[in-house]
Amino acid sequence: MADHRRNADQRPSPDALLDAARREDDGRGRLKIFVGAAPGVGKTFEMLQSAHAKRKAGVDVVVGVVETHGRSETEALLAGLEVIPRRRLDYKDHVLDEMDLDALIARRPRLALVDELAHSNAPGSRHPKRYLDVEELLSHGIDVYTAVNIQHIESLNDVVAQITHVRVRETVPDSIFDRADAIELVDLTPDDLIQRLREGKVYVPKQAERALEHYFSPGNLTALRELALRRTAERVDEQLLNHMQANAIAGPWAAGERILVCINEDTRSAGLVRYTRRLADRLHAPWSAICVETRSAQRLTEVERDRLADTLRLAEALGGEGMTIPGSGRHVADDVISFAHNNNVTQIVVGKSTRSLWVELLRGSVVHDLIRRAGNISVHVIAGEELAADPVARKTVKTLERNDSFDPRPYLMAVLMVAAALGLAILIEPTFGVVNVDLVFLTAVVSVAVRYGLLPSLLASVTASLCYNFFFLPPFYTFTIAEPTNIAAFLFFMLIALLVSNLAGRVRSQAVSAIGRVRTTESLYAFSRKLAGTAALDDVLWATAYQAALMLHVRVVLLLPEDGRIVVKAGYPPEDQLDDADLAAANWAWSNDRPAGRGSETLPGAKRLFLPMRTGRGPIGVIGIDDDRSGPLLTPDQRRLLDALVDQGALAIERVQLVEDMDRVKRSAESDRLRQALLTSISHDLKTPLAAVLGAASTLRDLSPKLSDAQRAELIGSIVEESERLNRFIANLLDMTRLEAGAVVPNAALHDLGDVVGSALRRAATILAHHNVQLDLEAELPMLQIDAVLFEQAIFNLLDNAAKYAPLGTTITVRAARHGDAVLLQIIDEGEGIPPEDLETVFDKFYRVRKSDQVRAGTGLGLAISRGFIEAMQGSMTAANRSDRSGAVLSIRLPVPPARAALDTAA
């Protein structure tokens, strides 16, 4: 019967119904995302197969953009599907193909296929990112199928970088993923994916070999696969919960474990929270802690209120979700079970009852009620002896005593309102009769209860009853009641007046309490939003100090550790000095992670009260407060509010510090990588030419009489060549040092491009001796505002790079032409080209693409130096691959100076 009654009372969640209605009525299309752990698992293949199934079912399907990456089995699935021609965009002398969004919207299919959700659109497109194109398609009522790899999800970017040591630059906001109507995980085991890679079904052979050495290791793929499974499971779990709430399904559906712990003001609650955390860790399940606020909550002592608030904070600090829910007036067990059903909870943790048998018989047992009414939900009843030994720490800061001084004004107003009701009753009694007089008095009683609370309303009830007896019950103007029926009427009137006043007074008290909580919650929510949008530590500290001062009407200082000591970082009003007593209290609070100073048990003579700011990682700072009054600073409610403000501020400070730590770690890792690369370069690129010079010179010294003139000339040439190579290496190191120090200031003047290119070719004649050099400079190129020395060095480095990576006997082309308000210079070779994933990283310091013989060439500084020089001259430099054949294209774009500037320089 209990189950039947609960199902009958069950109602769909208004929020879930509203969300479902919004999805149905907003006219937006539906989004389905095919998710994979890594490239090559078959996301596009699965998406095309699903599209064919839809097409056979009569759905109008159009391909907006699908990237086959040369995979024949994927290309075969495009047959039979209508494909919108792509739009061609010119960008830096390259023609890029992008999805034609306008044509796709004009075609208005029922279903559009848009591959590679994280793709960055070419400049000139309406949206910078493809997921924004998808958003626009959905807003036009077009359903979209799309695909994305798990490493492109924004919130997982750092995790993926830590696993793979590759920072993914193209990301998709989690909100896009979370708003998807359907998620389909396309899964493949690491062994199968590696086999596909070796068979050339993911990348071409050279790229596949490089991928196997770095990204596609079995460990990386296993970790990425787990990320994809977990993230997809989280989204599916949210969809399941929304479905259950929208359809009033009581549950639980144990598709995944969810744990709920019930707490109250009892000393054992902290132990229950810690037990639940351990249980959740074993089950890898989310968990929550709730407190049901009943009428008895108004009678809690301040110590009990503190204990309850700290227990909820403990739950949040341990990774759970702490919340207080209002009681519905029924049994507490009903409220807990209702919450569990609405949130698909599968296990409930509760402490063993300590009430005596007689109390349980009279008032009932929450534990027994939970067990009886839980249905399919498991209930863990935990004994209390060991839990009571581990409570939350007792508050040691003194608080202001409640000001309960007697205020006679509400009672006087109660008497006056009853007197007014008496006057009105005397006026209407001849017309409406005595039977309606009592309603006038009841109205006055309710008004007093609503306006002034319980005790004044009780006085109004007694006064109204006496007035009713004295003026309206015979014999009149005495308190004597002659007729038994009038005695009953008087008693019922008095009883009803007392009940109504009591009820109205309690409602008023609850309303006032609720209004206070709402205002506090609104302020805390606004504070949390402000902190969420703040990235700088100084801004976070200022916002925390200002909010605490505003809500608590105190002066605030914030101290953080610096160089082994605690120092003032922010304050409101601005404050940067502490006296010796305050500084000692702040240092003690920081060192011992306990309150110190005014109103505490330690150093109470200080002017300020200092409280440690802590997170799950430990203490991160200290907050100090004071005002112009003497004695304790805060009321118990204000102290709990300060705890909430401190917690939010501490988390924001920790977030900023974590970002700074990550940046510091990145810089350290980059420094280590550069140091290792430099040592490697020195050990190879410095030792090799020195060994060659030393060997040739030793041979000349020891065997010169026995050598022919041709042999001596060859050895001398070898010494010169290796010395020049060594000189280039040292020059590159010096140039990179100058660039990183910001010491490169171009001495710009007007120069003819042909002269500078010719000078660079003459310098590189020895390097280019085994290649064919083709010079293709457009006639009448404008003069350029450049530093001839730096520009020549940049061109020389590009020629040196082309000679290293292009096979002997091939052609290296130097081409220059004007494009609008810029001149484009290109160095084009006929080598193997640059791997697509390396087109940007080739300009990193010490980065070197492997040659076909797996031997690294050069120092990896030439291109980085060239880009630095060109950017110092207001130009840009990019890398690309040839479209007509294999080979790389390194392009320099420099602005053409305005005619006025050219004349001024010439003059």
mmCIF file of all heavy atoms in Angstrom, residues 297-340:
data_model
loop_
_atom_site.group_PDB
_atom_site.id
_atom_site.type_symbol
_atom_site.label_atom_id
_atom_site.label_comp_id
_atom_site.label_asym_id
_atom_site.label_seq_id
_atom_site.Cartn_x
_atom_site.Cartn_y
_atom_site.Cartn_z
ATOM 1 N N ALA A 297 13.857 22.104 13.287
ATOM 2 C CA ALA A 297 15.090 22.821 12.966
ATOM 3 C C ALA A 297 15.113 24.205 13.591
ATOM 4 O O ALA A 297 16.182 24.757 13.877
ATOM 5 C CB ALA A 297 15.250 22.932 11.447
ATOM 6 N N GLN A 298 13.923 24.770 13.826
ATOM 7 C CA GLN A 298 13.871 26.087 14.441
ATOM 8 C C GLN A 298 14.319 26.052 15.898
ATOM 9 O O GLN A 298 14.678 27.080 16.465
ATOM 10 C CB GLN A 298 12.431 26.629 14.363
ATOM 11 C CG GLN A 298 11.866 26.733 12.962
ATOM 12 C CD GLN A 298 12.571 27.799 12.153
ATOM 13 O OE1 GLN A 298 13.035 28.778 12.707
ATOM 14 N NE2 GLN A 298 12.640 27.603 10.842
ATOM 15 N N ARG A 299 14.298 24.868 16.494
ATOM 16 C CA ARG A 299 14.638 24.755 17.918
ATOM 17 C C ARG A 299 16.070 24.290 18.145
ATOM 18 O O ARG A 299 16.462 24.037 19.286
ATOM 19 C CB ARG A 299 13.671 23.781 18.595
ATOM 20 C CG ARG A 299 12.211 24.216 18.518
ATOM 21 C CD ARG A 299 11.333 23.368 19.417
ATOM 22 N NE ARG A 299 11.316 21.973 19.007
ATOM 23 C CZ ARG A 299 10.434 21.452 18.151
ATOM 24 N NH1 ARG A 299 9.506 22.239 17.607
ATOM 25 N NH2 ARG A 299 10.455 20.183 17.837
ATOM 26 N N LEU A 300 16.860 24.173 17.082
ATOM 27 C CA LEU A 300 18.246 23.727 17.238
ATOM 28 C C LEU A 300 19.069 24.785 17.957
ATOM 29 O O LEU A 300 18.886 25.992 17.754
ATOM 30 C CB LEU A 300 18.873 23.431 15.874
ATOM 31 C CG LEU A 300 18.298 22.260 15.076
ATOM 32 C CD1 LEU A 300 19.024 22.115 13.751
ATOM 33 C CD2 LEU A 300 18.386 20.958 15.867
ATOM 34 N N THR A 301 20.014 24.322 18.777
ATOM 35 C CA THR A 301 20.946 25.248 19.413
ATOM 36 C C THR A 301 21.986 25.701 18.388
ATOM 37 O O THR A 301 22.133 25.105 17.312
ATOM 38 C CB THR A 301 21.648 24.561 20.587
ATOM 39 O OG1 THR A 301 22.474 23.495 20.086
ATOM 40 C CG2 THR A 301 20.638 24.006 21.577
ATOM 41 N N GLU A 302 22.720 26.746 18.726
ATOM 42 C CA GLU A 302 23.742 27.243 17.807
ATOM 43 C C GLU A 302 24.845 26.215 17.585
ATOM 44 O O GLU A 302 25.392 26.097 16.495
ATOM 45 C CB GLU A 302 24.334 28.549 18.340
ATOM 46 C CG GLU A 302 23.353 29.708 18.390
ATOM 47 C CD GLU A 302 22.788 30.043 17.021
ATOM 48 O OE1 GLU A 302 23.401 29.690 16.016
ATOM 49 O OE2 GLU A 302 21.709 30.660 16.964
ATOM 50 N N VAL A 303 25.168 25.472 18.633
ATOM 51 C CA VAL A 303 26.183 24.419 18.479
ATOM 52 C C VAL A 303 25.712 23.382 17.470
ATOM 53 O O VAL A 303 26.470 22.931 16.605
ATOM 54 C CB VAL A 303 26.491 23.774 19.847
ATOM 55 C CG1 VAL A 303 27.407 22.568 19.668
ATOM 56 C CG2 VAL A 303 27.124 24.799 20.784
ATOM 57 N N GLU A 304 24.453 22.986 17.557
ATOM 58 C CA GLU A 304 23.917 22.009 16.615
ATOM 59 C C GLU A 304 23.834 22.570 15.194
ATOM 60 O O GLU A 304 24.118 21.859 14.220
ATOM 61 C CB GLU A 304 22.543 21.546 17.088
ATOM 62 C CG GLU A 304 22.584 20.714 18.367
ATOM 63 C CD GLU A 304 21.206 20.436 18.930
ATOM 64 O OE1 GLU A 304 20.280 21.246 18.672
ATOM 65 O OE2 GLU A 304 21.040 19.416 19.629
ATOM 66 N N ARG A 305 23.475 23.851 15.063
ATOM 67 C CA ARG A 305 23.451 24.471 13.737
ATOM 68 C C ARG A 305 24.852 24.489 13.130
ATOM 69 O O ARG A 305 25.036 24.208 11.947
ATOM 70 C CB ARG A 305 22.895 25.900 13.835
ATOM 71 C CG ARG A 305 21.430 25.979 14.204
ATOM 72 C CD ARG A 305 21.025 27.444 14.411
ATOM 73 N NE ARG A 305 19.691 27.572 14.957
ATOM 74 C CZ ARG A 305 18.586 27.681 14.224
ATOM 75 N NH1 ARG A 305 18.685 27.683 12.907
ATOM 76 N NH2 ARG A 305 17.408 27.794 14.790
ATOM 77 N N ASP A 306 25.840 24.839 13.949
ATOM 78 C CA ASP A 306 27.223 24.844 13.467
ATOM 79 C C ASP A 306 27.657 23.450 13.022
ATOM 80 O O ASP A 306 28.297 23.282 11.982
ATOM 81 C CB ASP A 306 28.166 25.351 14.558
ATOM 82 C CG ASP A 306 28.044 26.851 14.769
ATOM 83 O OD1 ASP A 306 27.549 27.527 13.850
ATOM 84 O OD2 ASP A 306 28.434 27.327 15.852
ATOM 85 N N ARG A 307 27.319 22.459 13.840
ATOM 86 C CA ARG A 307 27.720 21.095 13.509
ATOM 87 C C ARG A 307 27.096 20.639 12.191
ATOM 88 O O ARG A 307 27.749 20.011 11.361
ATOM 89 C CB ARG A 307 27.327 20.149 14.648
ATOM 90 C CG ARG A 307 27.855 18.730 14.467
ATOM 91 C CD ARG A 307 27.346 17.812 15.566
ATOM 92 N NE ARG A 307 27.732 18.312 16.881
ATOM 93 C CZ ARG A 307 26.904 18.517 17.884
ATOM 94 N NH1 ARG A 307 25.603 18.274 17.710
ATOM 95 N NH2 ARG A 307 27.329 18.953 19.043
ATOM 96 N N LEU A 308 25.827 20.963 11.989
ATOM 97 C CA LEU A 308 25.149 20.581 10.756
ATOM 98 C C LEU A 308 25.769 21.285 9.543
ATOM 99 O O LEU A 308 26.029 20.651 8.513
ATOM 100 C CB LEU A 308 23.664 20.920 10.867
ATOM 101 C CG LEU A 308 22.781 20.576 9.662
ATOM 102 C CD1 LEU A 308 22.870 19.102 9.327
ATOM 103 C CD2 LEU A 308 21.340 20.999 9.923
ATOM 104 N N ALA A 309 26.021 22.596 9.650
ATOM 105 C CA ALA A 309 26.623 23.334 8.547
ATOM 106 C C ALA A 309 28.016 22.807 8.222
ATOM 107 O O ALA A 309 28.392 22.655 7.045
ATOM 108 C CB ALA A 309 26.676 24.824 8.880
ATOM 109 N N ASP A 310 28.808 22.512 9.244
ATOM 110 C CA ASP A 310 30.161 21.998 9.010
ATOM 111 C C ASP A 310 30.142 20.600 8.401
ATOM 112 O O ASP A 310 31.039 20.241 7.621
ATOM 113 C CB ASP A 310 30.950 21.983 10.322
ATOM 114 C CG ASP A 310 31.310 23.390 10.784
ATOM 115 O OD1 ASP A 310 31.255 24.302 9.944
ATOM 116 O OD2 ASP A 310 31.638 23.558 11.976
ATOM 117 N N THR A 311 29.142 19.807 8.751
ATOM 118 C CA THR A 311 29.044 18.476 8.155
ATOM 119 C C THR A 311 28.727 18.570 6.666
ATOM 120 O O THR A 311 29.282 17.818 5.845
ATOM 121 C CB THR A 311 27.968 17.647 8.869
ATOM 122 O OG1 THR A 311 28.258 17.585 10.269
ATOM 123 C CG2 THR A 311 27.926 16.232 8.316
ATOM 124 N N LEU A 312 27.847 19.493 6.285
ATOM 125 C CA LEU A 312 27.569 19.709 4.859
ATOM 126 C C LEU A 312 28.812 20.215 4.134
ATOM 127 O O LEU A 312 29.096 19.810 2.992
ATOM 128 C CB LEU A 312 26.416 20.694 4.697
ATOM 129 C CG LEU A 312 25.033 20.183 5.107
ATOM 130 C CD1 LEU A 312 24.022 21.318 5.090
ATOM 131 C CD2 LEU A 312 24.581 19.048 4.190
ATOM 132 N N ARG A 313 29.571 21.101 4.774
ATOM 133 C CA ARG A 313 30.827 21.567 4.167
ATOM 134 C C ARG A 313 31.818 20.420 4.017
ATOM 135 O O ARG A 313 32.547 20.343 3.034
ATOM 136 C CB ARG A 313 31.443 22.665 5.024
ATOM 137 C CG ARG A 313 30.640 23.960 5.063
ATOM 138 C CD ARG A 313 31.267 24.964 6.020
ATOM 139 N NE ARG A 313 32.588 25.351 5.612
ATOM 140 C CZ ARG A 313 33.529 25.823 6.429
ATOM 141 N NH1 ARG A 313 33.273 25.914 7.722
ATOM 142 N NH2 ARG A 313 34.699 26.172 5.969
ATOM 143 N N LEU A 314 31.847 19.518 5.011
ATOM 144 C CA LEU A 314 32.733 18.358 4.929
ATOM 145 C C LEU A 314 32.372 17.494 3.726
ATOM 146 O O LEU A 314 33.265 17.012 3.007
ATOM 147 C CB LEU A 314 32.641 17.553 6.225
ATOM 148 C CG LEU A 314 33.420 16.231 6.259
ATOM 149 C CD1 LEU A 314 34.919 16.489 6.152
ATOM 150 C CD2 LEU A 314 33.094 15.445 7.526
ATOM 151 N N ALA A 315 31.076 17.298 3.499
ATOM 152 C CA ALA A 315 30.654 16.490 2.351
ATOM 153 C C ALA A 315 31.133 17.108 1.044
ATOM 154 O O ALA A 315 31.636 16.403 0.147
ATOM 155 C CB ALA A 315 29.126 16.351 2.347
ATOM 156 N N GLU A 316 31.013 18.426 0.920
ATOM 157 C CA GLU A 316 31.464 19.079 -0.307
ATOM 158 C C GLU A 316 32.978 19.029 -0.432
ATOM 159 O O GLU A 316 33.513 18.860 -1.533
ATOM 160 C CB GLU A 316 30.969 20.524 -0.329
ATOM 161 C CG GLU A 316 29.447 20.623 -0.435
ATOM 162 C CD GLU A 316 28.961 22.054 -0.383
ATOM 163 O OE1 GLU A 316 29.791 22.939 -0.075
ATOM 164 O OE2 GLU A 316 27.766 22.291 -0.642
ATOM 165 N N ALA A 317 33.691 19.152 0.686
ATOM 166 C CA ALA A 317 35.145 19.081 0.646
ATOM 167 C C ALA A 317 35.631 17.697 0.234
ATOM 168 O O ALA A 317 36.708 17.553 -0.374
ATOM 169 C CB ALA A 317 35.724 19.455 2.011
ATOM 170 N N LEU A 318 34.857 16.661 0.533
ATOM 171 C CA LEU A 318 35.242 15.287 0.185
ATOM 172 C C LEU A 318 34.756 14.887 -1.200
ATOM 173 O O LEU A 318 34.898 13.717 -1.583
ATOM 174 C CB LEU A 318 34.686 14.315 1.231
ATOM 175 C CG LEU A 318 35.270 14.444 2.647
ATOM 176 C CD1 LEU A 318 34.606 13.458 3.591
ATOM 177 C CD2 LEU A 318 36.777 14.233 2.623
ATOM 178 N N GLY A 319 34.183 15.811 -1.952
ATOM 179 C CA GLY A 319 33.800 15.512 -3.324
ATOM 180 C C GLY A 319 32.343 15.186 -3.529
ATOM 181 O O GLY A 319 31.938 14.851 -4.650
ATOM 182 N N GLY A 320 31.522 15.280 -2.484
ATOM 183 C CA GLY A 320 30.098 15.028 -2.626
ATOM 184 C C GLY A 320 29.331 16.324 -2.835
ATOM 185 O O GLY A 320 29.901 17.399 -2.991
ATOM 186 N N GLU A 321 28.040 16.199 -2.814
ATOM 187 C CA GLU A 321 27.156 17.355 -2.956
ATOM 188 C C GLU A 321 26.324 17.469 -1.691
ATOM 189 O O GLU A 321 25.583 16.549 -1.341
ATOM 190 C CB GLU A 321 26.249 17.194 -4.180
ATOM 191 C CG GLU A 321 25.343 18.387 -4.431
ATOM 192 C CD GLU A 321 24.457 18.186 -5.647
ATOM 193 O OE1 GLU A 321 24.492 17.084 -6.231
ATOM 194 O OE2 GLU A 321 23.730 19.137 -5.995
ATOM 195 N N GLY A 322 26.472 18.582 -0.981
ATOM 196 C CA GLY A 322 25.721 18.782 0.247
ATOM 197 C C GLY A 322 24.543 19.704 0.032
ATOM 198 O O GLY A 322 24.671 20.734 -0.630
ATOM 199 N N MET A 323 23.394 19.358 0.571
ATOM 200 C CA MET A 323 22.208 20.199 0.382
ATOM 201 C C MET A 323 21.227 19.983 1.525
ATOM 202 O O MET A 323 21.228 18.934 2.189
ATOM 203 C CB MET A 323 21.536 19.883 -0.957
ATOM 204 C CG MET A 323 20.913 18.499 -1.042
ATOM 205 S SD MET A 323 20.456 18.065 -2.730
ATOM 206 C CE MET A 323 22.072 17.690 -3.422
ATOM 207 N N THR A 324 20.402 21.000 1.729
ATOM 208 C CA THR A 324 19.307 20.936 2.691
ATOM 209 C C THR A 324 18.008 21.018 1.926
ATOM 210 O O THR A 324 17.834 21.911 1.092
ATOM 211 C CB THR A 324 19.404 22.090 3.694
ATOM 212 O OG1 THR A 324 20.642 22.002 4.403
ATOM 213 C CG2 THR A 324 18.258 22.036 4.686
ATOM 214 N N ILE A 325 17.084 20.088 2.194
ATOM 215 C CA ILE A 325 15.798 20.101 1.505
ATOM 216 C C ILE A 325 14.697 20.347 2.519
ATOM 217 O O ILE A 325 14.774 19.875 3.663
ATOM 218 C CB ILE A 325 15.542 18.782 0.738
ATOM 219 C CG1 ILE A 325 15.461 17.598 1.702
ATOM 220 C CG2 ILE A 325 16.621 18.540 -0.305
ATOM 221 C CD1 ILE A 325 15.052 16.289 1.014
ATOM 222 N N PRO A 326 13.676 21.110 2.158
ATOM 223 C CA PRO A 326 12.591 21.384 3.115
ATOM 224 C C PRO A 326 11.717 20.158 3.318
ATOM 225 O O PRO A 326 11.423 19.412 2.370
ATOM 226 C CB PRO A 326 11.809 22.522 2.442
ATOM 227 C CG PRO A 326 12.088 22.343 0.983
ATOM 228 C CD PRO A 326 13.477 21.796 0.867
ATOM 229 N N GLY A 327 11.327 19.932 4.540
ATOM 230 C CA GLY A 327 10.404 18.839 4.822
ATOM 231 C C GLY A 327 9.002 19.174 4.344
ATOM 232 O O GLY A 327 8.572 20.329 4.381
ATOM 233 N N SER A 328 8.306 18.165 3.896
ATOM 234 C CA SER A 328 6.962 18.379 3.352
ATOM 235 C C SER A 328 5.886 18.319 4.428
ATOM 236 O O SER A 328 4.707 18.461 4.123
ATOM 237 C CB SER A 328 6.672 17.325 2.279
ATOM 238 O OG SER A 328 6.689 16.025 2.836
ATOM 239 N N GLY A 329 6.286 18.076 5.656
ATOM 240 C CA GLY A 329 5.293 17.946 6.720
ATOM 241 C C GLY A 329 4.920 16.504 6.980
ATOM 242 O O GLY A 329 4.279 16.193 7.974
ATOM 243 N N ARG A 330 5.304 15.610 6.076
ATOM 244 C CA ARG A 330 5.041 14.197 6.308
ATOM 245 C C ARG A 330 6.214 13.614 7.092
ATOM 246 O O ARG A 330 6.981 14.325 7.709
ATOM 247 C CB ARG A 330 4.878 13.476 4.971
ATOM 248 C CG ARG A 330 3.768 14.046 4.098
ATOM 249 C CD ARG A 330 3.739 13.338 2.749
ATOM 250 N NE ARG A 330 4.986 13.538 2.018
ATOM 251 C CZ ARG A 330 5.270 12.931 0.864
ATOM 252 N NH1 ARG A 330 4.424 12.061 0.361
ATOM 253 N NH2 ARG A 330 6.408 13.179 0.251
ATOM 254 N N HIS A 331 6.378 12.318 7.021
ATOM 255 C CA HIS A 331 7.505 11.684 7.676
ATOM 256 C C HIS A 331 8.801 12.050 6.949
ATOM 257 O O HIS A 331 8.826 12.227 5.731
ATOM 258 C CB HIS A 331 7.332 10.160 7.683
ATOM 259 C CG HIS A 331 6.185 9.692 8.529
ATOM 260 N ND1 HIS A 331 4.932 9.539 8.017
ATOM 261 C CD2 HIS A 331 6.116 9.357 9.850
ATOM 262 C CE1 HIS A 331 4.122 9.115 8.976
ATOM 263 N NE2 HIS A 331 4.814 9.011 10.099
ATOM 264 N N VAL A 332 9.889 12.144 7.715
ATOM 265 C CA VAL A 332 11.202 12.421 7.126
ATOM 266 C C VAL A 332 11.559 11.334 6.116
ATOM 267 O O VAL A 332 12.144 11.612 5.061
ATOM 268 C CB VAL A 332 12.263 12.520 8.237
ATOM 269 C CG1 VAL A 332 13.659 12.604 7.637
ATOM 270 C CG2 VAL A 332 11.991 13.714 9.129
ATOM 271 N N ALA A 333 11.216 10.109 6.409
ATOM 272 C CA ALA A 333 11.524 9.008 5.488
ATOM 273 C C ALA A 333 10.870 9.224 4.128
ATOM 274 O O ALA A 333 11.466 8.905 3.086
ATOM 275 C CB ALA A 333 11.082 7.678 6.087
ATOM 276 N N ASP A 334 9.657 9.757 4.106
ATOM 277 C CA ASP A 334 8.993 10.012 2.826
ATOM 278 C C ASP A 334 9.761 11.047 2.008
ATOM 279 O O ASP A 334 9.892 10.922 0.786
ATOM 280 C CB ASP A 334 7.557 10.491 3.061
ATOM 281 C CG ASP A 334 6.669 9.388 3.596
ATOM 282 O OD1 ASP A 334 6.952 8.212 3.296
ATOM 283 O OD2 ASP A 334 5.695 9.696 4.309
ATOM 284 N N ASP A 335 10.265 12.092 2.670
ATOM 285 C CA ASP A 335 11.034 13.116 1.959
ATOM 286 C C ASP A 335 12.332 12.534 1.407
ATOM 287 O O ASP A 335 12.732 12.851 0.274
ATOM 288 C CB ASP A 335 11.353 14.283 2.896
ATOM 289 C CG ASP A 335 10.094 14.993 3.368
ATOM 290 O OD1 ASP A 335 9.185 15.187 2.542
ATOM 291 O OD2 ASP A 335 10.016 15.333 4.560
ATOM 292 N N VAL A 336 12.986 11.681 2.174
ATOM 293 C CA VAL A 336 14.236 11.073 1.711
ATOM 294 C C VAL A 336 13.974 10.144 0.529
ATOM 295 O O VAL A 336 14.687 10.174 -0.481
ATOM 296 C CB VAL A 336 14.920 10.312 2.865
ATOM 297 C CG1 VAL A 336 16.139 9.544 2.354
ATOM 298 C CG2 VAL A 336 15.328 11.282 3.966
ATOM 299 N N ILE A 337 12.950 9.308 0.632
ATOM 300 C CA ILE A 337 12.623 8.375 -0.453
ATOM 301 C C ILE A 337 12.214 9.143 -1.713
ATOM 302 O O ILE A 337 12.589 8.768 -2.834
ATOM 303 C CB ILE A 337 11.504 7.404 0.000
ATOM 304 C CG1 ILE A 337 12.008 6.493 1.115
ATOM 305 C CG2 ILE A 337 11.032 6.571 -1.184
ATOM 306 C CD1 ILE A 337 13.165 5.601 0.725
ATOM 307 N N SER A 338 11.455 10.215 -1.546
ATOM 308 C CA SER A 338 11.055 11.020 -2.703
ATOM 309 C C SER A 338 12.280 11.609 -3.393
ATOM 310 O O SER A 338 12.398 11.578 -4.624
ATOM 311 C CB SER A 338 10.113 12.138 -2.256
ATOM 312 O OG SER A 338 9.777 12.984 -3.341
ATOM 313 N N PHE A 339 13.215 12.138 -2.612
ATOM 314 C CA PHE A 339 14.451 12.672 -3.198
ATOM 315 C C PHE A 339 15.237 11.566 -3.901
ATOM 316 O O PHE A 339 15.781 11.772 -4.997
ATOM 317 C CB PHE A 339 15.303 13.314 -2.104
ATOM 318 C CG PHE A 339 16.604 13.890 -2.589
ATOM 319 C CD1 PHE A 339 16.677 15.199 -3.017
ATOM 320 C CD2 PHE A 339 17.755 13.115 -2.620
ATOM 321 C CE1 PHE A 339 17.867 15.732 -3.470
ATOM 322 C CE2 PHE A 339 18.955 13.636 -3.067
ATOM 323 C CZ PHE A 339 19.014 14.947 -3.495
ATOM 324 N N ALA A 340 15.306 10.405 -3.274
ATOM 325 C CA ALA A 340 16.052 9.290 -3.878
ATOM 326 C C ALA A 340 15.432 8.862 -5.198
ATOM 327 O O ALA A 340 16.147 8.606 -6.181
ATOM 328 C CB ALA A 340 16.095 8.112 -2.896
#
